[in-house]
Amino acid sequence: MNELVIGIDGGGTHCRARLANTRGETLGMGEAGAANPHAAGFAAAQHEILGAIQRAFDDAKIEKQIVTAACLGIGGIDRPDERAQFAEWAQQFIASRAFIVNDGEIVLAAGLPENWGIALIAGTGSIAWGRTRDGKIARAGGWGYLIGDEGSGFDLAREALRAATHYADGRGEPTHLLDAILGHWHLDDARRLIPHVYRSGLKPADFAELAPLVIRASETGDAVARRLVERASESLAETIITVAKILPFHDGKIPLALAGGLLLQAAPLRLNLMAELKRRKNRFAPVTLVAEPVVGAVRLAINLAHSK
């Protein structure tokens, strides 16, 4: 059998692992929970990554082993000391050679064949990450749910909760979001939101599950929800444009790869995003939807294996 490689897509909601050989043939796939260390903690993130890898080996019916190379695209990992910490751990438990990258980099590798352009991820969190043809990189967003992640699933849910509670108070516009949120969480009164939000151990990904409710409400004519979706798309457009301004893209059009559960599943948000980019003199083409960023992680792992 050819040498084995592993690709990891570790996000704020799910961790996906793909086991392949160096010819690029997928042998097994596995999934586990959140693997963003800043949301879940380093130990919990590493536990989920190893769980997803074990499931990929089980799927391939191959005994778990240290592989030749691995690429881990991990949300929230950007500082050199964090990457070094993760790489040391990965080389001990996953692969003899391990490459730790921002999750935006594996989206580029998966969606843009020449591996340059801008990747936008909007799932539980949000970030834009770009690379020029000559390897210059930049990012915007990705500051986490407490101080950033504008336009993300968590951000959209937080704004929906704010609008719903303002309506419950009588100081906000009427919106169906209040009933939708109460129904989703099986609550019979708006006052029950306080203990549910603050004392039930909800994680950012749990809040982000409210985002599809906002999308559906916007599609059925709820004016408040529609404005929230428009505001989210404007924030995401600003994040993309910021990266485009930082990097010296000399080509007329900049390839754009879109990933993340919110962007992929919410057509109204994508349409608003593209309209906003066009309004701001759109220079982004082609636009690719990346359903499986882990494919990019596998490609980078194979490159690492071949670079010996």
Side-chain angles (χ1 to χ4, degrees):
M1 179 179 291
N2 238 2
E3 293 178 307
L4 300 178
V5 299
I6 286 173
I8 297 290
D9 173 19
T13 304
H14 300 289
C15 175
R16 294 180 174 88
R18 184 170 293 213
L19 177 67
N21 58 34
T22 50
R23 294 193 300 270
E25 298 166 334
T26 296
L27 305 175
M29 296 181 289
E31 188 170 319
N36 182 320
H38 295 299
F42 275 80
Q46 290 166 348
H47 175 78
E48 297 299 334
I49 290 169
L50 292 179
I53 290 172
Q54 181 63 65
R55 293 182 183 102
F57 274 105
D58 293 343
D59 185 45
K61 296 180 172 54
I62 298 173
E63 184 177 355
K64 186 174 180 293
Q65 59 196 267
I66 299 295
V67 301
T68 298
C71 174
L72 288 73
I74 307 295
I77 291 289
D78 278 305
R79 297 204 317 265
D81 60 324
E82 292 176 332
R83 292 193 183 201
Q85 177 185 348
F86 240 82
E88 181 180 357
W89 168 80
Q91 287 166 0
Q92 183 178 358
F93 294 102
I94 300 173
S96 55
R97 304 180 74 194
F99 188 30
I100 313 300
V101 301
N102 182 282
D103 49 352
E105 188 156 354
I106 66 173
V107 172
L108 274 190
L112 304 175
E114 296 183 16
N115 201 23
W116 72 275
I118 295 177
L120 173 69
I121 303 173
T124 300
S126 64
I127 188 172
W129 192 91
R131 179 201 295 276
T132 62
R133 285 184 184 272
D134 59 357
K136 293 183 176 66
I137 62 172
R139 53 161 281 180
W143 290 96
Y145 68 97
L146 287 179
I147 59 174
D149 285 353
E150 295 84 356
S152 67
F154 178 88
D155 183 54
L156 194 56
R158 177 177 50 201
E159 293 303 310
L161 281 164
R162 183 172 289 129
T165 54
H166 283 192
Y167 172 48
D169 277 347
R171 58 188 171 123
E173 290 182 52
T175 175
H176 296 294
L177 290 172
L178 178 60
D179 288 340
I181 292 169
L182 293 177
H184 178 80
W185 279 337
H186 307 291
L187 304 175
D188 57 10
D189 187 272
R191 288 169 294 184
R192 295 187 181 276
L193 284 169
I194 294 175
H196 189 76
V197 166
Y198 292 104
R199 298 200 292 271
S200 60
L202 293 176
K203 295 181 171 59
D206 299 320
F207 285 99
E209 290 177 359
L210 299 178
L213 306 181
V214 188
I215 302 296
R216 286 197 291 273
S218 74
E219 291 179 296
T220 57
D222 188 295
V224 172
R226 186 168 61 249
R227 282 198 299 274
L228 293 183
V229 172
E230 290 171 354
R231 194 179 306 158
S233 65
E234 290 168 1
S235 295
L236 294 174
E238 184 63 37
T239 308
I240 294 170
I241 290 167
T242 297
V243 173
K245 288 178 178 176
I246 294 171
L247 291 175
F249 287 112
H250 302 300
D251 304 73
K253 297 284 187 178
I254 303 171
L256 177 62
L258 304 178
L262 180 64
L263 267 178
L264 295 182
Q265 296 166 21
L269 181 65
R270 289 201 310 275
L271 291 172
N272 282 340
L273 171 63
M274 299 315 299
E276 184 65 18
L277 290 174
K278 184 175 182 180
R279 188 182 72 80
R280 302 189 188 197
K281 310 299 182 185
N282 180 9
R283 296 188 297 128
F284 302 97
V287 178
T288 306
L289 300 183
V290 180
E292 296 188 76
V294 70
V295 171
V298 170
R299 288 177 181 169
L300 294 175
I302 291 171
N303 291 344
L304 181 60
H306 287 162
S307 69
K308 292 189 298 184

